[in-house]
Amino acid sequence: MLGLGAPYPFDLGFMQRALVASLAVGVFAPTIGTFLVQKRMSLIGDGIGHIAFAGVGAGLVAGVAPLWMALLFAVAGAIGVEWLRSRRRASGDLALALFFYSGIALGVVLVSLGGGFDAGVLTYLFGQPLTVDGGEIASILALGAAIVATVIGMRRLLFAVVTDEDWSRVAGLPVDAANFALAALTACAVVAAMRIVGILLVAAMMVLPVASGQLLARSFAGTLWWSVGIGAGSVIAGLAASRIWGLAPGGSIVLVAAGCFAVVAVLKRGSGRVPFAEEAA
């Protein structure tokens, strides 16, 4: 934690806890999002978030911690989407839509059975970092560390697969394993971040910082670093704004990230430089 002598607006304990948990999200969400954007699967986080909502409902019905049930449902759903896509049983968009609508419908049904949409359920939908406790912070940090460590260990393989899947198959790389790993990592990131920015906004933290990073960087590695920096900065500015002006913290964080993209896009307009992701296509 920052300590009692931390400056305003992070001078109170709940703000310090929110900052620690949110900074973790600001790092790991854009990290995995950089690979998803390069693979042109920017919306998968949104779809998996709706599947995770079904897990929240299942946890309420079964009396199990919603976080871990959401993780189970999200990983299973992410692997299911990738299995349908890889087997050509459905296109990527169609596979995502099938799980997207089924997940949200199942979530609504299960939540209604578990007692309805109370404040706790709304927290998972819209996020509320100001109320995270020590156990939730530990879970978020553990999942975030596992995501970042796995990405670092698999970075060369993941880069090859998301950049040119056909070439990677010809080169003999384990493409299917990499795709399933990326799907599972995305599911973990969604569940770890849902308590901070909410299921409905979690995909934004995977995409918006990366969109800005692509405009600023000239390489994939540069985009990754820019994305993480913008993600962390958006967290700090968003939480500060929420405390100063009494705004919803999850939405404020995402709006700052969106604002960063708008500013970068305007500044880069007319520069004539094409983002690296399009150059590599």
Side-chain angles (χ1 to χ4, degrees):
M1 299 297 178
L2 300 178
L4 297 177
Y8 180 85
F10 300 106
D11 53 326
L12 299 179
F14 71 89
M15 286 297 296
Q16 294 171 16
R17 290 190 293 272
L19 180 61
V20 171
S22 300
L23 276 175
V25 174
V27 170
F28 68 72
T31 296
I32 196 69
T34 304
F35 293 90
L36 295 177
V37 172
Q38 179 71 6
K39 193 176 174 62
R40 291 176 172 79
M41 293 189 68
S42 302
L43 296 180
I44 190 173
D46 203 15
I48 293 176
H50 286 74
I51 300 170
F53 181 58
V56 171
L60 294 175
V61 172
V64 180
L67 176 68
W68 301 114
M69 286 298 288
L71 181 61
L72 176 63
F73 272 63
V75 171
I79 291 175
V81 170
E82 180 56 34
W83 185 84
L84 286 176
R85 188 193 68 83
S86 64
R87 298 300 185 276
R88 302 295 191 270
R89 301 292 179 87
S91 66
D93 290 341
L94 179 57
L96 189 57
L98 290 172
F99 281 85
F100 185 113
Y101 297 120
S102 298
I104 192 67
L106 180 59
V108 170
V109 170
L110 291 174
V111 167
S112 66
L113 291 174
F117 286 81
D118 58 13
V121 174
L122 295 179
T123 294
Y124 290 103
L125 282 174
F126 301 106
Q128 183 48 274
L130 302 185
T131 60
V132 293
D133 56 32
E136 289 171 325
I137 292 175
S139 298
I140 292 170
L141 292 178
L143 285 172
I147 291 167
V148 173
T150 304
V151 168
I152 291 175
M154 299 180 64
R155 65 188 184 280
R156 296 184 185 277
L157 172 60
L158 290 175
F159 173 72
V161 171
V162 301
T163 302
D164 193 334
E165 186 169 314
D166 292 333
W167 177 89
S168 298
R169 290 188 186 278
V170 172
L173 297 177
V175 174
D176 290 339
N179 282 329
F180 280 117
L182 183 61
L185 287 170
T186 303
C188 292
V190 167
V191 172
M194 69 181 184
R195 188 66 173 77
I196 304 303
V197 293
I199 289 170
L200 298 181
L201 294 175
V202 64
M205 286 305 292
M206 294 183 177
V207 174
L208 291 175
V210 181
S212 300
Q214 283 188 330
L215 294 176
L216 293 168
R218 296 182 179 274
S219 66
F220 184 86
T223 296
L224 180 58
W225 286 112
W226 271 109
S227 301
V228 169
I230 292 170
S234 298
V235 162
I236 296 172
L239 284 178
S242 72
R243 171 81 188 281
I244 295 170
W245 292 297
L247 307 175
S252 299
I253 291 170
V254 173
L255 282 177
V256 170
C260 287
F261 173 73
V263 170
V264 171
V266 169
L267 293 177
K268 287 293 182 178
R269 184 180 180 182
S271 66
R273 187 173 72 82
V274 179
F276 89 92
E278 296 179 8
E279 294 171 352

